[in-house]
Amino acid sequence: MDDLKDFGTPPVNSEKLVTLKIDGIDVTVTEGTSLMRAASIAGVSVPKLCATDSLEPFGSCRLCLVEIEGKRGYPASCTTPASDGLVVSTQSPKLANLRKGVMELYISDHPLDCLTCATNGDCELQDMAGAVGLRDVRYGYEGENHLDSKKDESNPYFTFDPSKCIVCSRCVRACEETQGTFALTIDGRGFESKVSAGNKDFIDSECVSCGACVQACPTATLIEKSIEEHGTPERKVTTTCAYCGVGCSFNAEMQGDKVVRMTPNKNGGANHGHSCVKGRFAWGYTTHKDRINTPMIRKSINDSWQKVSWEEAISYAASEIKRIQKKYGANSVGAISSSRCTNEEVYVMQKIVRAGFGNNNIDTCARVCHSPTGYGLKQTIGESAGTQNFDSVMESDVIMIVGANPTDGHPVFASQMKKRLRQGAKLIVIDPREIDLVDNTPHIKADYHLKLQPGTNVAIINSIAHVIVEEGLSDQGFVKERCEDESFKIWLNFIKDPKNSPESTEAESGIPADLLRKAARLFANEKNGSIYYGLGVTEHSQGSTMVMGIANLAMVTGNVGREGVGINPLRGQNNVQGSCDMGSFPHELPGYRHVSDLATRALFESAWNTKIDDEPGLRIPNMLDEAISGKFKSLYCEGEDIAQSDPDTQHVTHALESMECVIVQDLFLNETAMYAHVFFPGSSFLEKNGTFTNAERRISRVRKVMAPKNGYEDWEITQMLSNALGYPMKYKHASEIMDEVAQLTPTFKGVSYEKLDKLGSIQWPCNDEHPEGTPTMHVDEFVRGKGKFFITEYVPTAEKVNNKFPLIMTTGRILAHYNVGAQTRRTKNTVWHDEDLMKFILMMQRKEE
Ligand code: SF4
Ligand code: SF4
Ligand code: SF4
Ligand code: FES
């Protein structure tokens, strides 16, 4: 579908079809579809200003009037539903006159600066003046007007010029319907009406700079500063946001090789045309002056960096790796890939380790975020991934959020979730923090907030399941039909134990038993219950146990295998799912197959023409420990800043200092690079081809919109290093890497760039059975056959407060920044936060004696 075509009003879901005639053309649409949309489908375009198909119709501009045979008056086509047998005319002398009159009024109060206006040629008001044939304004331009209204330039990314506003309210509705922030209103009445951000400048208002209003505005009232500065784009390339696990699809709008605007793609499967401040506006880091574009080497970390050619850098790195392996053994080297990288980059990283280094010492940053998800879900339901697509939330009746803050961490998905909550879905939040969805979001209030003590997740999930089982609220039919009988019986015995009752866990968790009981009942009694969780679950010592506890809860309530339910890990970074899928763990080859499995090894050994070690390699913590003990001497680290983001910084930097060759591949000289001997400059997401896989298992294309500033895409650098080490790689394009993944990985069997180009995105598994992918998993049976319940014994965390360490510290995301801020700190997002913040939450935490 052409994502530029605007049908005027959104599609309407209905089983019933109606047929009508518009300007002599028969058209069949679903019942409830507006006349405007029906006309558009028939190829007839009706003039419009206040309507756009991302928003519900409003009917304020009166430009879209039509005539209906046998009916009096001139109804607005955007608010009039189509019905069987209607005969509609969109053109007549009377309609032309009415429309001209409307346009005259608008234009008489509009600055006539089209030639110098930043959106000249890209303005709906201008288009409509042309469409209705406006040639003159009978009222003149001297009457009362708004032309002196003050421009608001407070937002770093867009301006608001009220002198150009036609008060169509599209911005207000976009903020409400699409974003769910309700920052804008129309103040005043009649001629005095004006758009207001709560009578404040945008920067001081509730606005979260998602840009939905800017996109919705049909005039130059709300426009991007980048468009004011550079003018309108001349071409666009569809690509994927490189920030978070929502995986929003964008059109990079270009002038030559310069990005002038990022516009969310209406056809994006994850975002449906919406975005957050990071994806839409915070791409300035890609051209930031801090970027290093030349390879560098140095013998010691106390020396200064020496700029060298690519040949020299690659050859030096390869010779060091070989020297170290010769001296300290094959296992003395390893690599860390990153969830910031594309699937193709991660795949070649684990391949260079397994085939080039000859060991399995490959790990990824998902080690410290979502590896418990992979393990916990694989064990219980058979696949290391979330069960649903984002759209599924629109069918949920009760939503449980555990250890996640979607409005800050996954903002575009949060907007969809907020829409469902405003429609009446119930909400249970389990988090020590009072996240905005608890009671700080317009028209949303959590039904229950279980503000637990950090570290007591497992006690809470067990108690919820205990109540459900004890009070007879489980879905026995689902359990009997879909789950393993034996494991269920053992689990039932465990969960019924009074130690798991809310009364028993209350003292430890801080959650009053009656509150927990009510929340458990709500979750079990609603038809469709979905669970969304984040790092508050996985970044704990009992992360895997909690994931299994969540899976147990979903199974015992029958909430898997259809729309509106499911187990939904909200993956942090853009490609956490993909980096795990691609075999970047030391014990697993791509597709989560254990290195000890003979058949899997044989498959890869034959394709790669090499021997693969059957022993799992070192994880990140093992690499660091072994570096300190003198056994691990060289690390190749791509796209991850372990010195800044991994726990226990002193330990990490001590380990890095103990190595003889640290190779960092990144956009910037990050903290880890302070301990590096070789620096390979990386390429930004705008400079390479590849794919990212988001939290819904959705594989989306990353497309090169400009040449890499360093000369190479990141996978090419790894390939050059591999060739220099003596293990040949000969990919000519990232698509060839994906072809190899598809050839060797059953869940990716049907994936290709050609298919991605055709479908837009694909949710794996994509194979002969599901050639276009799988939005909802485990529909008739679990991937592992029967679902397996696991005992989830609660073990109190060792990280308790005491006199020496009186505070529990935990991390959380903020909307404007991403992770360690390597990218967002190099954008104007610093307007919102220019340094990290520590927020104190008072809890009734007992001190350890
Ligand atoms: S940028 Fe987003 S949050 Fe801000 S006013 Fe516009 S729609 Fe609302
Ligand atoms: S700012 Fe734009 S979208 Fe909002 S009312 Fe004015 S013209 Fe319409
Ligand atoms: S929600 Fe995530 S993927 Fe979407 S624009 Fe924001 S940061 Fe990018
Ligand atoms: S487009 Fe229908 S009234 Fe404005």
Side-chain angles (χ1 to χ4, degrees):
M1 202 208 300
D2 177 3
D3 88 307
L4 290 181
K5 177 153 182 171
D6 185 343
F7 292 81
T9 62
V12 173
N13 280 332
S14 169
E15 303 271 293
K16 195 170 165 208
L17 297 176
V18 294
T19 299
L20 63 161
K21 209 180 262 302
I22 300 179
D23 290 351
I25 303 167
D26 285 327
V27 58
T28 301
V29 293
T30 52
E31 191 178 41
T33 300
S34 71
L35 291 181
M36 177 179 278
R37 189 174 176 94
S40 185
I41 290 168
V44 174
S45 100
V46 184
K48 62 181 180 55
L49 275 173
C50 69
T52 184
D53 61 8
S54 60
L55 301 170
E56 293 302 322
F58 194 57
S60 70
C61 75
R62 312 299 294 165
L63 202 63
C64 67
L65 309 181
V66 291
E67 289 172 357
I68 301 176
E69 210 174 273
K71 304 214 170 178
R72 294 180 54 182
Y74 305 93
S77 63
C78 62
T79 49
T80 307
S83 58
D84 244 340
L86 284 189
V87 177
V88 180
S89 300
T90 72
Q91 304 293 341
S92 74
K94 179 69 190 167
L95 288 172
N97 252 338
L98 287 169
R99 288 179 187 144
K100 240 185 216 174
V102 170
M103 280 308 293
E104 275 183 282
L105 283 171
Y106 280 130
I107 299 299
S108 68
D109 185 10
H110 198 81
L112 296 178
D113 60 354
C114 286
L115 280 183
T116 50
C117 178
T119 58
N120 185 19
D122 184 20
C123 168
E124 290 181 46
L125 187 69
Q126 201 178 39
D127 294 347
M128 289 307 119
V132 304
L134 189 72
R135 295 286 170 267
D136 195 15
V137 173
R138 283 169 292 166
Y139 320 111
Y141 304 97
E142 309 309 322
E144 217 180 335
N145 59 48
H146 299 85
L147 302 184
D148 292 331
S149 306
K150 191 174 149 266
K151 197 168 172 180
D152 175 356
E153 302 195 77
S154 60
N155 186 288
Y157 297 117
F158 59 84
T159 60
F160 172 61
D161 181 355
S163 72
K164 296 190 169 175
C165 180
I166 57 170
V167 202
C168 67
S169 187
R170 272 162 66 161
C171 54
V172 178
R173 289 177 285 140
C175 194
E176 293 176 5
E177 293 174 30
T178 311
Q179 166 55 24
T181 290
F182 295 74
L184 303 177
T185 49
I186 301 286
D187 272 359
R189 304 184 74 116
F191 182 79
E192 299 301 323
S193 326
K194 61 172 198 291
V195 172
S196 158
N199 284 320
K200 294 175 181 161
D201 280 346
F202 269 78
I203 197 74
D204 299 319
S205 72
E206 297 294 314
C207 168
V208 293
S209 294
C210 71
C213 55
V214 180
Q215 187 158 327
C217 182
T219 67
T221 312
L222 282 160
I223 61 166
E224 295 88 351
K225 287 184 174 172
S226 60
I227 293 292
E228 283 188 320
E229 191 180 337
H230 303 295
T232 47
E234 63 198 24
R235 69 184 173 99
K236 62 171 187 171
V237 183
T238 304
T239 189
T240 305
C241 177
Y243 279 114
C244 88
V246 177
C248 297
S249 175
F250 277 89
N251 291 320
E253 300 191 7
M254 313 288 298
Q255 272 177 1
D257 70 347
K258 184 165 61 207
V259 178
V260 294
R261 176 165 65 188
M262 292 289 272
T263 313
N265 176 11
K266 218 160 96 175
N267 298 328
N271 58 322
H272 306 298
H274 190 34
S275 72
C276 80
V277 59
K278 296 186 287 289
R280 192 190 292 258
F281 295 124
W283 34 270
Y285 71 89
T286 57
T287 50
H288 195 275
K289 62 177 174 40
D290 288 354
R291 267 194 70 180
I292 308 281
N293 295 319
T294 313
M296 301 190 295
I297 59 173
R298 58 184 175 181
K299 290 261 179 308
S300 146
I301 59 169
N302 299 317
D303 296 343
S304 335
W305 284 108
Q306 235 189 295
K307 288 187 181 175
V308 293
S309 65
W310 271 109
E311 292 70 25
E312 198 176 337
I314 294 283
S315 142
Y316 180 73
S319 68
E320 278 296 276
I321 291 171
K322 283 192 209 161
R323 175 186 70 76
I324 287 167
Q325 283 195 303
K326 197 164 171 209
K327 185 166 172 194
Y328 300 100
N331 272 325
S332 58
V333 303
I336 300 176
S337 72
S338 165
S339 302
R340 311 304 278 158
C341 300
T342 62
N343 286 317
E344 293 71 8
E345 287 156 12
V346 174
Y347 182 85
V348 293
M349 275 297 272
Q350 58 88 37
K351 186 171 176 179
I352 195 178
V353 170
R354 298 196 154 104
F357 296 180
N359 61 42
N360 286 314
N361 294 339
I362 173 75
D363 209 353
T364 172
C365 53
R367 163 73 44 220
V368 285
C369 72
H370 265 284
S371 59
T373 288
Y375 180 75
L377 296 186
K378 181 89 178 170
Q379 296 299 309
T380 47
I381 58 177
E383 193 56 90
S384 302
T387 60
Q388 312 295 121
N389 62 6
F390 289 140
D391 289 352
S392 158
V393 77
M394 298 311 287
E395 305 285 320
S396 289
D397 300 306
V398 57
I399 298 167
M400 180 183 279
I401 301 174
V402 195
N405 185 6
T407 50
D408 279 27
H410 300 83
V412 165
F413 172 61
S415 289
Q416 195 174 20
M417 186 186 261
K418 287 191 285 187
K419 194 178 280 182
R420 181 62 189 153
L421 291 167
R422 290 197 303 274
Q423 288 172 355
K426 304 280 190 281
L427 175 64
I428 300 165
V429 174
I430 304 179
D431 204 299
R433 303 164 298 176
E434 193 151 322
I435 61 169
D436 280 351
L437 287 173
V438 171
D439 196 14
N440 190 29
T441 300
H443 308 291
I444 291 169
K445 186 168 177 8
D447 294 86
Y448 298 105
H449 177 203
L450 307 186
K451 196 174 173 180
L452 76 176
Q453 292 287 348
T456 61
N457 285 337
V458 174
I460 292 297
I461 210 80
N462 285 347
S463 284
I464 291 174
H466 176 94
V467 173
I468 288 167
V469 163
E470 281 291 318
E471 297 191 9
L473 304 175
S474 60
D475 186 338
Q476 293 177 17
F478 182 92
V479 173
K480 193 162 188 306
E481 193 192 328
R482 301 280 310 266
C483 303
E484 271 185 8
D485 195 37
E486 191 57 28
S487 73
F488 178 65
K489 280 189 189 139
I490 298 170
W491 177 78
L492 196 60
N493 206 26
F494 157 76
I495 209 76
K496 279 178 155 179
D497 192 309
K499 75 180 175 196
N500 289 319
S501 73
E503 289 72 18
S504 302
T505 55
E506 176 176 319
E508 185 86 6
S509 69
I511 304 301
D514 64 328
L515 191 72
L516 189 142
R517 281 187 182 278
K518 285 181 192 156
R521 287 173 198 139
L522 174 66
F523 188 74
N525 285 331
E526 292 289 330
K527 183 165 162 256
N528 288 339
S530 52
I531 307 172
Y532 293 86
Y533 70 89
L535 302 182
V537 162
T538 52
E539 284 188 341
H540 276 280
S541 53
Q542 279 208 288
S544 303
T545 314
M546 180 61 181
V547 172
M548 290 195 258
I550 287 173
N552 290 341
L553 179 64
M555 289 190 288
V556 79
T557 51
N559 277 314
V560 190
R562 60 181 190 280
E563 293 295 281
V565 300
I567 308 160
N568 302 278
L570 292 173
R571 306 291 187 146
Q573 306 197 63
N574 51 333
N575 201 30
V576 179
Q577 181 68 55
S579 75
C580 299
D581 301 341
M582 291 298 113
S584 59
F585 286 129
H587 62 292
E588 280 169 343
L589 284 152
Y592 304 97
R593 287 164 294 171
H594 205 279
V595 289
S596 64
D597 181 62
L598 195 63
T600 304
R601 272 205 325 282
L603 179 72
F604 281 89
E605 284 175 347
S606 144
W608 292 355
N609 194 25
T610 191
K611 205 77 199 123
I612 296 174
D613 194 352
D614 60 357
E615 282 292 321
L618 300 173
R619 301 180 185 134
I620 296 173
N622 308 130
M623 292 183 202
L624 300 176
D625 290 347
E626 294 218 349
I628 289 170
S629 67
K631 286 187 271 186
F632 188 82
K633 290 289 182 184
S634 178
L635 176 70
Y636 174 23
C637 186
E638 181 184 348
E640 190 177 351
D641 190 1
I642 54 170
Q644 184 164 195
S645 56
D646 278 30
D648 199 349
T649 308
Q650 286 179 13
H651 181 70
V652 176
T653 54
H654 183 193
L656 288 167
E657 278 169 342
S658 310
M659 296 182 205
E660 292 184 11
C661 181
V662 174
I663 305 163
V664 167
Q665 184 168 323
D666 209 287
L667 299 180
F668 305 105
L669 265 185
N670 57 22
E671 296 294 316
T672 308
M674 300 301 143
Y675 302 88
H677 307 81
V678 179
F679 185 82
F680 292 155
S683 47
S684 80
F685 80 112
L686 295 171
E687 299 159 22
K688 58 194 173 193
N689 284 303
T691 53
F692 292 146
T693 307
N694 78 349
E696 324 157 274
R697 296 169 275 105
R698 185 185 300 280
I699 308 160
S700 302
R701 273 299 312 277
V702 176
R703 291 187 179 85
K704 185 157 143 179
V705 305
M706 59 179 73
K709 300 200 182 316
N710 59 350
Y712 292 101
E713 301 183 34
D714 283 280
W715 63 266
E716 292 179 291
I717 300 167
T718 309
Q719 172 161 293
M720 289 192 288
L721 181 62
S722 187
N723 288 331
L725 282 171
Y727 178 75
M729 288 192 198
K730 297 195 176 83
Y731 307 109
K732 289 193 245 9
H733 190 272
S735 63
E736 294 177 9
I737 304 172
M738 181 52 83
D739 291 343
E740 185 174 310
V741 173
Q743 182 204 330
L744 296 171
T745 315
T747 41
F748 280 70
K749 189 174 173 203
V751 180
S752 67
Y753 277 29
E754 199 186 347
K755 198 185 274 184
L756 284 165
D757 288 346
K758 192 167 135 225
L759 299 180
S761 61
I762 300 170
Q763 286 176 268
W764 67 257
C766 175
N767 46 31
D768 295 342
E769 210 184 324
H770 302 284
E772 299 204 340
T774 314
T776 306
M777 290 188 79
H778 315 285
V779 172
D780 295 317
E781 63 169 3
F782 287 102
V783 169
R784 71 182 301 284
K786 299 269 188 191
K788 184 170 181 176
F789 283 84
F790 273 78
I791 300 291
T792 52
E793 196 77 61
Y794 168 61
V795 180
T797 175
E799 293 167 355
K800 294 230 165 109
V801 293
N802 55 35
N803 289 336
K804 193 166 167 209
F805 298 105
L807 298 172
I808 289 185
M809 291 179 71
T810 183
T811 57
R813 296 205 194 283
I814 50 174
L815 177 67
H817 284 289
Y818 206 75
N819 276 11
V820 295
Q823 292 143 301
T824 46
R825 269 189 287 114
R826 293 180 171 97
T827 69
K828 291 175 183 159
N829 280 24
T830 48
V831 163
W832 290 286
H833 292 284
D834 57 1
E835 57 189 0
D836 282 338
L837 289 178
M838 197 190 295
K839 195 169 173 179
F840 286 92
I841 308 173
L842 274 182
M843 315 253 332
M844 296 300 287
Q845 176 79 43
R846 282 175 304 130
K847 270 194 175 183
E848 224 179 29
E849 294 309 317

